[in-house]
Amino acid sequence: MAYAATTNVAVSKTKGEIDGLLRKHKAAGFGIFEEATRAMLVFEMAGRRIVFHLPLPNQMDKRFIMTERGKTRTVDSAMAAWEQACRSRWRALFLCIKAKLESIESGIESFEDAFLAHIQMPDGHSVSEHVRPRIAQAYESGSMLPLLPAPKGGA
């Protein structure tokens, strides 16, 4: 089951909580941009621009239009199911950001380590977009070191 699958917290409230969390942690800028099936959260903190891409459920997805038994939902029921999925996604993003900031405050990891994948580089791409192909290549080529290296000094 998805995180917060039954949450009653409105998307607008969650966005407000994200805003408050970022302000509390001294974000220099903040913005949310949305389209029908995706959202983008951008903020600047610790001298870095952070970008989260949030896939949103498609309102026309079969899981919203049809019941689990294969019957067509009413318009109101389909809308309610889709809104629930949206609320769940936004709560998950809030949890993700909150956990990263807590990890930083607790000294578990640095800001860069916590948000590394989402740091936007000068070319507009994230660190993740730059590094993912190299990671895949390393694993596909077999050039990764063994998980448990051989003992030093022989057999």
Side-chain angles (χ1 to χ4, degrees), residues 13-129:
K13 182 171 173 33
T14 299
K15 289 177 185 178
E17 288 179 288
I18 292 170
D19 180 277
L21 183 65
L22 294 175
R23 288 178 193 279
K24 175 184 170 190
H25 287 87
K26 311 283 190 267
F30 166 79
I32 294 176
F33 307 92
E34 289 185 74
E35 291 181 346
T37 59
R38 65 188 182 132
M40 183 172 75
L41 168 70
V42 181
F43 61 92
E44 292 184 349
M45 189 181 291
R48 304 287 183 262
R49 179 171 297 151
I50 308 300
V51 179
F52 279 90
H53 294 276
L54 181 66
L56 295 173
N58 185 332
Q59 202 169 0
M60 294 296 126
D61 192 301
K62 185 178 176 180
R63 66 186 164 137
F64 305 123
I65 297 171
M66 307 296 286
T67 66
E68 290 178 13
R69 293 186 174 168
K71 295 187 179 190
T72 303
R73 292 182 193 259
T74 65
V75 173
D76 289 345
S77 176
M79 179 63 80
W82 174 75
E83 287 174 345
Q84 182 63 53
C86 290
R87 288 193 300 270
S88 177
R89 283 285 169 97
W90 280 100
R91 290 310 290 176
L93 178 61
F94 173 62
L95 174 68
C96 174
I97 295 167
K98 186 175 181 179
K100 289 176 182 299
L101 292 170
E102 179 60 35
S103 179
I104 295 162
E105 275 187 3
S106 299
I108 294 170
E109 57 189 338
S110 68
F111 181 88
E112 278 80 9
D113 287 340
F115 286 102
L116 187 66
H118 302 282
I119 294 174
Q120 187 178 51
M121 300 301 290
D123 66 359
H125 294 285
S126 68
V127 170
S128 176
E129 290 169 322

